Amino acid sequence: MNPAGFWIRLGANLLDGIIMSLPLAIISYLILGESDTWFTTLGTYLYFILLPVFWVGYTVGKKILGIRIVNLDETDVSLWTMIKRQLIANIFYILTLGIGVIISAVMVGIREDKRAIHDFIAGTYVTFHPPWQK
């Protein structure tokens, strides 16, 4: 187990935001006249739920930085796992008015296993195997 820490996970999320959210916002603006619509929300959820299922735990940002979502037994994530990790966890974060997000960030920063609330909900962790270190 080589868990990925706070900064590398934040970096991957920022890369994913640039790679996925920006094009979705532009397409949404061109089609619907607004950049933040149901289209961008749906596209973002589909990206973060489906891509790790089809690409063995990676999103584009995670792949670039060498981190991967895996189950606790280090097997590949399933569709149900990613639904729990994204949808159910986001519902929890909304219900806690964002406090859960802050707690998750602290957990990733200080816990030895670097697991956040959404990792506990889904039974996952994020492993770090940088491509530049073979």
Side-chain angles (χ1 to χ4, degrees):
M1 187 175 199
N2 188 21
F6 175 80
W7 293 109
I8 195 86
R9 288 172 71 158
L10 178 64
N13 279 327
L14 290 173
L15 283 172
D16 283 326
I18 293 166
I19 292 164
M20 187 60 189
S21 298
L22 190 59
L24 275 176
I26 292 168
I27 292 167
S28 179
Y29 183 77
L30 293 173
I31 294 171
L32 302 171
E34 294 181 45
S35 60
D36 189 18
T37 65
W38 61 269
F39 177 79
T40 54
T41 302
L42 178 63
T44 301
Y45 272 107
L46 290 175
Y47 175 81
F48 284 108
I49 291 171
L50 296 178
L51 192 57
V53 172
F54 295 121
W55 204 15
V56 294
Y58 291 107
T59 61
V60 176
K62 284 178 175 55
K63 183 73 170 177
I64 291 169
L65 295 181
I67 64 176
R68 177 178 171 233
I69 306 165
V70 293
N71 291 314
L72 287 175
D73 62 2
E74 299 205 11
T75 58
D76 296 339
V77 294
S78 67
L79 179 60
W80 176 238
T81 300
M82 292 311 299
I83 288 171
K84 289 187 288 186
R85 194 170 195 275
Q86 290 300 129
L87 288 178
I88 295 172
N90 282 346
I91 291 168
F92 173 78
Y93 293 147
I94 290 166
L95 291 175
T96 62
L97 304 175
I99 294 170
V101 174
I102 296 166
I103 292 169
S104 281
V106 171
M107 289 171 65
V108 172
I110 66 172
R111 289 181 55 90
E112 189 174 322
D113 63 4
K114 308 296 183 195
R115 292 177 70 207
I117 292 171
H118 53 268
D119 291 310
F120 280 95
I121 290 171
T124 60
Y125 79 99
V126 180
T127 184
F128 181 50
H129 297 287
W132 56 88
Q133 292 179 350
K134 293 290 176 179

